[in-house]
Amino acid sequence: MEMTRSREYVALGRQLLDQLPLEAGEVHIWVAVVGEMPDDELSAQFDCVLTADERARHGRFFFEKDRRRYAVTRSLVRYGLSRYVPIVPSDWRFDATEFGRPIIANSHPAIAGLTFNISHSDHVVLLGVTRDRQLGIDVEDLQRRTPLDVADGFFSPHEVLQLRSLPADLQPARFLDFWTLKESYIKARGKGLSIPLDQFAFDLSGEAGLRLSIDERLGDAPEHWTFWQWRPSADCLSALCVENKPCVTTHVTVRRIVPFVSETQATFDVLRESSK
Ligand SMILES: CC(C)(COP(=O)(O)OP(=O)(O)OC[C@H]1O[C@@H](n2cnc3c(N)ncnc32)[C@H](O)[C@@H]1OP(=O)(O)O)[C@@H](O)C(=O)NCCC(=O)NCCS
């Protein structure tokens, strides 16, 4: 089902939006393709939705492609969060943890337990939203440069072995498999690169499965998390990491969105999923 909105809906940036239920166990992923945002919409949203600080940061990006991606990201986050909490999109305010993870600074009862995470590649911006548990998401363009030497220096020995034992032409794709999964985990933990990348490892030896092992120094256990690897669009790869909660079954829903313009239900085409 597609909902197409006309340009005057840019004014939604200053209005409450229709509320979307988010039940226990639900994970909503919003996918915005940067190139799908019409220029006139983007500049209208820029004026209407972004804060002065955001507009100043936008102006500091050197390349137009980075400015555009940044504006789409800010619109997506503001629009997306306003679908769950009756706060006007332009009113959201954010702080950051000591590790750089954005946290909501507004106060409203519906914010309690709301968790979100953002990832952007050159072409796609993802927003993941859930309740009462942690979530991390990462997206990478399949055509991006793959610094294989980073794996040699920072991945776990088991991951390096799995990667380097492949034929050379298959290594870049496998590198991105590991990279996105590792990013999704460190983002779900919220501690960024303060988590040593060689203290947790993914085993991707099965056809469509994956298995995490965690060094006891990290004080965590693999059964705390479920991972999915999927393609939000043909030219990118994403990994999603969601915290498990007792007696709650996770259900992931994907929406393709042009913020404030259109929303379309999309499929969640899973390539790999963690073994149960
Ligand atoms: C910041 C980091 C969390 C993600 O960075 P990234 O992969 O370059 O970028 P992404 O687009 O996936 O994610 C950026 C978003 O993550 C969020 N983020 C920032 N710090 C975060 C943290 N500590 N925890 C969770 N999310 C965080 C922010 O929302 C940010 O977007 P914003 O600045 O527009 O708000 C961190 O992992 C990092 O610096 N990575 C560098 C890349 C690297 O070396 N990766 C090793 C992979 S194995």
Side-chain angles (χ1 to χ4, degrees):
M1 185 183 70
E2 182 159 10
M3 174 185 65
T4 303
R5 294 174 153 165
S6 58
R7 285 187 50 217
E8 58 264 29
Y9 271 73
V10 164
L12 285 172
R14 295 194 178 134
Q15 294 173 19
L16 295 178
L17 304 186
D18 295 344
Q19 296 295 284
L20 197 58
L22 184 65
E23 307 297 341
E26 283 195 67
V27 174
H28 293 179
I29 308 294
W30 299 81
V31 180
V33 177
V34 176
E36 286 181 354
M37 175 70 94
D39 287 345
D40 53 349
E41 291 286 353
L42 196 60
S43 72
Q45 289 177 24
F46 181 82
D47 292 336
C48 179
V49 183
L50 272 64
T51 63
D53 282 354
E54 289 172 335
R55 291 199 295 269
R57 185 163 172 212
H58 175 271
R60 291 196 290 272
F61 286 102
F62 189 74
F63 294 108
E64 167 56 23
K65 73 174 178 58
D66 294 327
R67 283 195 293 274
R68 167 174 270 274
R69 184 186 63 177
Y70 178 77
V72 171
T73 304
R74 301 325 304 160
S75 284
L76 173 64
V77 172
R78 290 172 173 281
Y79 177 90
L81 294 179
S82 290
R83 295 299 306 279
Y84 303 100
V85 181
I87 285 182
V88 167
S90 58
D91 281 354
W92 287 100
R93 295 294 176 267
F94 301 94
D95 287 331
T97 67
E98 62 178 303
F99 299 105
R101 181 178 196 139
I103 45 175
I104 295 169
N106 305 68
S107 66
H108 188 286
I111 292 171
L114 195 71
T115 311
F116 72 101
N117 198 222
I118 302 162
S119 185
H120 19 61
S121 68
D122 276 353
H123 299 110
V124 172
V125 185
L126 302 184
L127 168 69
V129 185
T130 191
R131 267 195 198 290
D132 299 324
R133 55 207 183 139
Q134 292 306 324
L135 158 153
I137 196 162
D138 188 56
V139 65
E140 302 292 341
D141 288 326
L142 291 168
Q143 296 307 321
R144 64 160 285 175
R145 192 182 70 86
T146 49
L148 295 171
D149 53 322
V150 168
D152 300 330
F154 296 98
F155 286 12
S156 77
H158 182 49
E159 289 169 333
V160 176
L161 185 67
Q162 293 174 74
L163 181 67
R164 291 305 198 177
S165 58
L166 289 172
D169 60 327
L170 298 182
Q171 291 183 22
R174 183 47 50 93
F175 174 86
L176 287 181
D177 288 337
F178 284 121
W179 180 284
T180 52
L181 287 164
K182 289 175 90 66
E183 277 282 344
S184 74
Y185 175 70
I186 60 177
K187 292 179 77 179
R189 295 284 309 268
K191 293 185 172 173
L193 291 172
S194 72
I195 295 183
L197 295 175
D198 61 352
Q199 288 187 11
F200 62 101
F202 290 93
D203 186 325
L204 302 183
S205 51
E207 184 71 6
L210 60 92
R211 199 175 287 277
L212 171 66
S213 56
I214 303 178
D215 189 305
E216 60 186 23
R217 283 172 291 178
L218 287 186
D220 191 13
E223 54 272 23
H224 291 161
W225 307 97
T226 301
F227 293 85
W228 295 263
Q229 198 141 45
W230 62 297
R231 292 234 175 102
S233 69
D235 50 6
C236 63
L237 178 70
S238 173
L240 170 67
C241 170
V242 177
E243 185 183 9
N244 295 326
K245 288 285 176 183
C247 308
V248 179
T249 306
T250 304
H251 180 68
V252 181
T253 309
V254 181
R255 288 177 176 76
R256 183 90 168 238
I257 179 174
V258 180
F260 299 97
V261 179
S262 67
E263 279 175 41
T264 314
Q265 197 83 34
T267 51
F268 184 47
D269 294 322
V270 175
L271 303 170
R272 287 181 181 276
E273 184 174 352
S274 29
S275 322
K276 296 283 185 284

